Amino acid sequence: MYMMKDIYYYELNIICLCLLLWITVKTISSIDKQTKNLIFLRVAINTAILIFIDIVWKTIDGLPGNFFFHLNNFIDAIYLAVTGAVSFCWLLYVLYDYFKDGKITKLTKFIISLPLIALAICSLSSPWTHLLFYVDPLKNHYHRGPFHYIQEIIAYGYFVSACILLVYETIKEMHNITHIKHTAVFMYVFIPFIAGIVSYIFPGVEIIWQAASISLLVAFYNMQIEQISVDALTGL
């Protein structure tokens, strides 16, 4: 049963990784280089990195030897830092997509990036400080540190903020938003939201980033539809 669980885990992550790589390639080749689209590309790339790291971590966690012990520490530190980067870029994408009146200043971006910077510092220092995690040197197993909740608050905080903004703007512009975009926004918000609830109720089931891959596919499809419907000369 345990082996089958591992096989399903690897299959799911490899499928999501291939999906994200496809989205990345298609985005680079077919989407114009607006700021929001470049941020979307960052989200896709960071999510792919996150899932790849997760696969590597699952493979090396528990393997004996000094090399795997240090690799486990390195992988865990990068993984926790990237979770914040994904959520941060997700929030930026929502801001640029739904607030087109130029209100996003450099100061605003700097302020909302402060939690991300704090998370990166805590994460990258954890192999020595054990703030967010520590790796048992005897068994080479990952364990949560005493301040692991900082990572959850920051990473999920960005994500929840993005969801709230999406829902708020969708309700406010309900009469102006197209049916396709309305459906895409709904799925964009609630697929990861439901996955987060499942992961919270069942701590051993971590599927939020895999669900984020599906949401990115929905967002990418919506971007393609918008691009087709916009006249290249008039912008209407």
Side-chain angles (χ1 to χ4, degrees):
M1 179 65 70
Y2 181 77
M3 288 298 296
M4 288 302 297
K5 180 182 177 182
D6 284 350
I7 291 173
Y8 291 144
Y9 171 86
Y10 282 115
E11 285 181 347
L12 176 61
N13 278 281
I14 290 172
I15 290 171
C16 290
L17 185 59
C18 292
L19 174 63
L20 289 167
L21 292 175
W22 178 81
I23 291 173
T24 299
V25 172
K26 294 293 288 185
T27 301
I28 293 173
S29 62
S30 64
I31 300 296
D32 62 81
K33 301 304 184 286
Q34 296 180 29
T35 302
K36 72 166 188 174
N37 294 335
L38 294 176
I39 294 173
F40 174 83
L41 181 61
R42 266 188 243 166
V43 175
I45 292 173
N46 284 330
T47 306
I49 292 172
L50 199 62
I51 291 177
F52 175 76
I53 292 175
D54 199 29
I55 293 172
V56 175
W57 172 79
K58 181 71 173 179
T59 303
I60 68 170
D61 191 57
L63 292 179
N66 198 48
F67 170 77
F68 290 112
F69 168 74
H70 290 295
L71 182 60
N72 203 355
N73 273 285
F74 174 76
I75 289 294
D76 294 336
I78 297 299
Y79 179 87
L80 294 179
V82 175
T83 60
V86 172
S87 300
F88 173 74
C89 290
W90 201 293
L91 176 58
L92 279 185
Y93 176 76
V94 171
L95 289 171
Y96 274 102
D97 194 33
Y98 283 87
F99 295 85
K100 300 178 176 66
D101 50 4
K103 291 182 179 179
I104 309 171
T105 64
K106 290 183 178 179
L107 178 60
T108 300
K109 287 191 285 187
F110 174 73
I111 291 174
I112 64 177
S113 71
L114 289 177
L116 174 63
I117 295 171
L119 175 59
I121 293 172
C122 291
S123 177
L124 297 177
S125 65
S126 285
W128 299 276
T129 63
H130 300 163
L131 285 174
L132 303 185
F133 73 90
Y134 68 95
V135 178
D136 182 355
L138 296 178
K139 297 183 178 180
N140 191 28
H141 279 307
Y142 164 90
H143 298 279
R144 292 185 173 186
F147 296 99
H148 187 273
Y149 63 87
I150 292 176
Q151 181 267 338
E152 295 177 337
I153 291 174
I154 293 175
Y156 291 112
Y158 280 133
F159 182 75
V160 170
S161 298
C163 291
I164 292 173
L165 286 173
L166 278 171
V167 173
Y168 169 76
E169 194 65 15
T170 300
I171 293 173
K172 190 174 74 170
E173 301 293 336
M174 185 68 70
H175 298 294
N176 299 325
I177 198 167
T178 65
H179 173 71
I180 292 176
K181 188 167 185 177
H182 177 63
T183 303
V185 168
F186 181 85
M187 295 183 66
Y188 191 72
V189 171
F190 286 99
I191 291 176
F193 180 74
I194 293 172
I197 293 175
V198 172
S199 297
Y200 180 79
I201 296 175
F202 305 100
V205 180
E206 298 291 341
I207 58 172
I208 187 168
W209 304 116
Q210 292 77 9
S213 304
I214 306 301
S215 289
L216 286 170
L217 178 62
V218 173
F220 177 75
Y221 173 76
N222 182 60
M223 289 166 59
Q224 293 286 337
I225 295 298
E226 285 186 339
Q227 188 171 356
I228 292 172
S229 63
V230 172
D231 186 275
L233 295 177
T234 64
L236 298 176

